[in-house]
Amino acid sequence: MLTCVTLLFVVLLCGTEAAPTDHPQWRDIDYLVHLREMFYREDIDDDGKLEYTDARQTDLRSDADGDGVVTREEYDADPDLTGYDLDKDLDVIDVNNDGILTHEDTKLAFLLISSDFGNEWSLGEFIQFMTSKTEPPAKDNMTITIKSFARAERNFVVMDIDDDDLVSEDEFTSEYRVADYNRDGVLKDLELRGFRPIRNVPITRYCSDTTVGCKVEDFLKMFKEADINNDAQLDLKEYVVTFGELMDTE
């Protein structure tokens, strides 16, 4: 795979020192969102996992003339590779050092990486590996733990009913109605735990008395605060910043 698998191998080779056991797990949100986009772009069969078959299909897609070699021209012409610099990474991507990019390079890279995570990777595993040998972000960056990001991303996907990669106010309130099991218009106790957006944040931030119950209007305040560009919908970053349990980088 000349996108995510190749870049995974780049990380593998560049990270010559093993990550310490206490390596911080918080990461820059923009970078995590980028890795998430990469993951779904490379998950060709759309099963939520990266597998060798995805890698092989990516090779075939990039090799426009079918000669088994991905040239610079083919690499640059592939819209899914936009933003990646072949000249810059060639020495690392060319695993067998023969000066060209072939399926053998991808196959070897995949075999090396799969020794850590098996033959298929979830989004969380993909992010875990991609960030395991990179330096933590500057402490003034907006960060989150990998675990919290993966959990928030999963909730985001479930709430995104129309699959447009945005959570609208209607989808948000629909999730509230799903959590309101007894249909009394408020969420209490277990119902609150079932409301996806607040699983990772303090409930009292927006609902002061959980014994009485929290109305949808209480959480719409949270939604509106998260909606930075005021378009009545949340992209993943907006969602994660508010509902993803931000971590202190100290």
Side-chain angles (χ1 to χ4, degrees), residues 29-65:
I29 289 179
D30 285 324
Y31 180 51
L32 295 180
V33 170
H34 169 71
L35 291 181
R36 186 244 191 190
E37 292 172 352
M38 184 189 301
F39 177 89
Y40 284 119
R41 183 172 60 242
E42 298 305 326
D43 179 20
I44 293 177
D45 58 8
D46 199 28
D47 65 352
K49 297 175 288 187
L50 289 184
E51 303 157 297
Y52 182 74
T53 53
D54 295 314
R56 182 55 178 154
Q57 289 184 60
T58 300
D59 275 352
L60 294 173
R61 183 182 63 194
S62 300
D63 182 16
D65 60 10

Side-chain angles (χ1 to χ4, degrees), residues 156-221:
F156 177 88
V157 170
V158 172
M159 294 174 64
D160 179 22
I161 299 171
D162 60 7
D163 293 326
D164 64 350
D165 215 27
L166 296 165
V167 170
S168 67
E169 189 171 310
D170 287 341
E171 287 170 330
F172 189 89
T173 54
S174 176
E175 182 66 26
Y176 183 94
R177 290 192 295 272
V178 170
D180 184 15
Y181 301 124
N182 63 7
R183 300 294 187 268
D184 66 352
V186 296
L187 301 185
K188 292 185 292 186
D189 303 324
L190 292 177
E191 291 178 328
L192 284 168
R193 299 180 188 178
F195 186 38
R196 293 180 188 277
I198 61 171
R199 290 179 178 179
N200 304 325
V201 298
I203 296 172
T204 53
R205 187 185 302 175
Y206 291 89
C207 180
S208 59
D209 191 347
T210 58
T211 60
V212 174
C214 305
K215 298 180 179 180
V216 68
E217 289 80 7
D218 296 321
F219 296 114
L220 281 178
K221 295 176 185 177

Side-chain angles (χ1 to χ4, degrees), residues 47-171:
D47 65 352
K49 297 175 288 187
L50 289 184
E51 303 157 297
Y52 182 74
T53 53
D54 295 314
R56 182 55 178 154
Q57 289 184 60
T58 300
D59 275 352
L60 294 173
R61 183 182 63 194
S62 300
D63 182 16
D65 60 10
D67 65 352
V69 177
V70 179
T71 65
R72 283 179 171 81
E73 290 75 19
E74 288 172 327
Y75 192 95
D76 291 336
D78 188 339
D80 288 316
L81 298 178
T82 301
Y84 302 118
D85 186 345
L86 178 59
D87 291 320
K88 179 180 178 181
D89 296 332
L90 179 60
D91 290 340
V92 179
I93 297 172
D94 181 17
V95 179
N96 59 13
N97 296 313
D98 61 359
I100 58 176
L101 298 179
T102 68
H103 180 58
E104 290 305 312
D105 293 305
T106 298
K107 184 176 181 180
L108 178 56
F110 191 92
L111 289 174
L112 289 170
I113 297 163
S114 64
S115 65
D116 286 336
F117 289 102
N119 294 324
E120 58 184 39
W121 315 319
S122 67
L123 173 62
E125 289 169 335
F126 173 73
I127 291 175
Q128 182 72 31
F129 183 86
M130 287 294 289
T131 60
S132 64
K133 295 178 174 62
T134 58
E135 290 298 319
K139 65 179 182 179
D140 58 347
N141 284 12
M142 189 171 292
T143 59
I144 190 174
T145 64
I146 296 171
K147 180 178 180 180
S148 293
F149 178 85
R151 184 169 55 223
E153 191 275 342
R154 185 167 57 249
N155 290 337
F156 177 88
V157 170
V158 172
M159 294 174 64
D160 179 22
I161 299 171
D162 60 7
D163 293 326
D164 64 350
D165 215 27
L166 296 165
V167 170
S168 67
E169 189 171 310
D170 287 341
E171 287 170 330

